[in-house]
């Protein structure tokens, strides 16, 4: 019953409907939500409460209720042990944060804890990342014998959602190194890639979806495997023009790009904050 020009849906409103109300692979729910708005606007006009109605992003809650979905954003500041990764689901890409922290092992024999409903392949990637770090602990500045008395805990938030796949390997390795060395992770950097025990970075899938998610989240630098460069032909030019894409072939390159060049706090401060983390300096 709406005549042309009676209802105006702004571009911002449509974008927010897609992001916050109808996360899906198709457009069926989007059509339903637009229909809901049209019916409510038609009633307003029939009741002579308005001649024309413009619906902007700020008006969506009035017509559609509270937001149903949210999407990840870049961290607000550089942090120790928190790295931005990217994931892909049936409804597209999104960013996620991988967290790592160090615990006093105490009397327990467990040296590795992984939480966040991590599935088998992703668990194996985390173990490979930790093994790489342990094999190179001297060059990374980790004290000898450190892992005898300390355990590593890796957590991927949104624990209600199962997560799997090898592409978070470099993200986990970076989080581990950051937690061990006290070096902050650059907040504007996101990454993806599988890691091997030798520190090589292997190609992954979903490059287009992951880059779109990083662009939407405000990421400025995106680290991806060297062998995924061929997949950039599918990425919109708007994304490649605004996100600095860094192809890498090994984890050393990732750490140079993602971590700030020195400890964010002194060893004494680290020791005071976590007495069991770093032995007293010689």
């Amino acid at each position: 019953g709406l005549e042309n020009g009676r209802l105006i849906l702004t571009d911002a409103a449509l974008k927010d409907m897609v992001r916050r109300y109808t996360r899906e692979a198709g457009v069926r729910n989007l059509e339903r939500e637009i229909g809901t708005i049209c019916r409510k606007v038609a009633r307003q006009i029939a009741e002579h409460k308005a001649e024309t109605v413009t619906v902007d992003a700020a008006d969506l809650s009035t017509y559609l209720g509270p937001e149903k979905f949210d999407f990840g954003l870049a961290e607000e500041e550089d942090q120790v042990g928190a790295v931005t990764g990217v994931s892909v689901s049936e409804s597209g890409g999104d960013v996620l944060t991988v967290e790592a922290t160090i615990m006093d092992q105490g009397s327990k024999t467990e040296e590795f804890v992984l939480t966040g409903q991590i599935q088998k392949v992703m668990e194996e990637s985390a173990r490979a990342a930790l093994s790489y770090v342990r094999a190179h602990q001297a060059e990374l500045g980790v004290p000898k014998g450190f892992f005898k008395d300390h355990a590593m805990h890796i957590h991927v938030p949104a624990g209600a959602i199962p997560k799997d796949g090898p592409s978070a390997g470099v993200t986990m390795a970076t989080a581990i190194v950051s937690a061990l060395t006290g070096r902050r992770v650059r907040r504007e950097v996101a990454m993806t890639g599988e890691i091997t025990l030798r520190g090589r970075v292997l190609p992954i899938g979903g490059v287009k979806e992951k880059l779109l998610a990083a662009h939407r989240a405000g990421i400025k630098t995106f680290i991806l495997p060297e062998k995924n460069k061929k997949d950039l032909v599918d990425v919109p030019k708007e994304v490649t023009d605004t996100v600095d894409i860094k192809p890498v072939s090994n984890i050393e390159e990732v750490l140079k790009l993602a971590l700030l060049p020195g400890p964010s706090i002194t060893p004494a401060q680290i020791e005071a904050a976590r007495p069991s983390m770093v032995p007293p300096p010689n």
Side-chain angles (χ1 to χ4, degrees):
L2 286 173
E3 298 175 358
N4 286 340
R6 289 296 188 95
L7 168 61
I8 299 170
L9 271 172
T10 67
D11 288 347
L14 287 171
K15 183 181 292 186
D16 266 22
M17 287 173 68
V18 170
R19 288 181 173 180
R20 302 180 184 276
Y21 289 89
T22 65
R23 182 174 295 180
E24 58 182 338
V27 293
R28 289 185 178 181
N29 288 331
L30 179 61
E31 183 180 15
R32 293 190 186 101
E33 299 293 359
I34 291 175
T36 298
I37 292 175
C38 289
R39 286 189 292 274
K40 291 185 177 182
V41 169
R43 178 174 180 173
Q44 287 179 300
I45 293 174
E47 293 176 346
H48 304 290
K49 293 180 179 179
E51 291 294 326
T52 61
V53 176
T54 298
V55 178
D56 201 358
D59 305 315
L60 290 180
S61 60
T62 302
Y63 293 94
L64 302 178
E67 297 172 359
K68 299 175 182 177
F69 303 100
D70 199 1
F71 59 92
L73 294 172
E75 295 288 336
E76 295 182 357
E77 58 183 23
D78 303 332
Q79 297 188 45
V80 174
V83 185
T84 301
V86 280
S87 64
V88 177
S89 67
E90 59 184 13
S91 59
D94 203 355
V95 300
L96 52 82
T97 300
V98 174
E99 301 172 339
T101 190
I102 298 163
M103 307 177 295
D104 187 344
Q105 200 169 2
S107 59
K108 296 183 179 179
T109 58
E110 192 171 31
E111 63 179 19
F112 180 69
V113 179
L114 190 63
T115 55
Q117 202 171 161
I118 305 303
Q119 306 302 302
K120 184 64 176 178
V121 175
M122 197 168 182
E123 178 184 346
E124 291 174 350
S125 291
R127 292 189 179 278
L130 182 59
S131 294
Y132 171 83
V133 173
R134 294 189 65 172
H136 296 80
Q137 61 184 31
E139 58 198 78
L140 292 170
V142 181
K144 185 178 180 180
F146 178 81
F147 288 99
K148 291 182 179 179
D149 302 317
H150 301 86
M152 179 65 61
H153 186 166
I154 298 175
H155 178 66
V156 185
I161 302 172
K163 308 168 189 72
D164 204 4
S167 61
V170 295
T171 315
M172 292 178 172
T174 304
I176 292 170
V177 173
S178 173
L180 287 171
T181 62
R183 294 172 63 184
R184 292 187 183 274
V185 182
R186 300 181 192 275
R187 59 171 296 276
E188 74 277 4
V189 173
M191 63 187 69
T192 185
E194 181 178 353
I195 189 174
T196 72
L197 291 177
R198 293 175 291 165
R200 294 176 57 196
V201 179
L202 302 184
I204 43 76
V207 171
K208 178 182 177 180
E209 291 79 5
K210 291 176 178 179
L211 266 167
L212 287 171
H215 176 258
R216 180 182 63 196
I219 295 297
K220 302 300 182 186
T221 302
F222 189 86
I223 300 171
L224 86 164
E226 179 81 28
K227 292 185 178 180
N228 280 121
K229 286 172 64 176
K230 64 182 185 302
D231 299 312
L232 295 178
V233 295
D234 298 326
V235 180
K237 190 173 185 297
E238 177 189 356
V239 176
T240 56
D241 285 347
T242 54
V243 178
D244 186 12
I245 300 171
K246 300 288 190 182
V248 298
S249 57
N250 60 71
I251 190 63
E252 289 88 352
E253 297 175 71
V254 176
L255 298 177
K256 288 179 182 177
L257 290 167
L259 299 181
L260 292 173
S264 58
I265 52 178
T266 66
Q269 290 173 316
I270 296 175
E271 184 182 0
R274 288 197 290 262
S276 62
M277 177 177 171
V278 178
N282 294 329

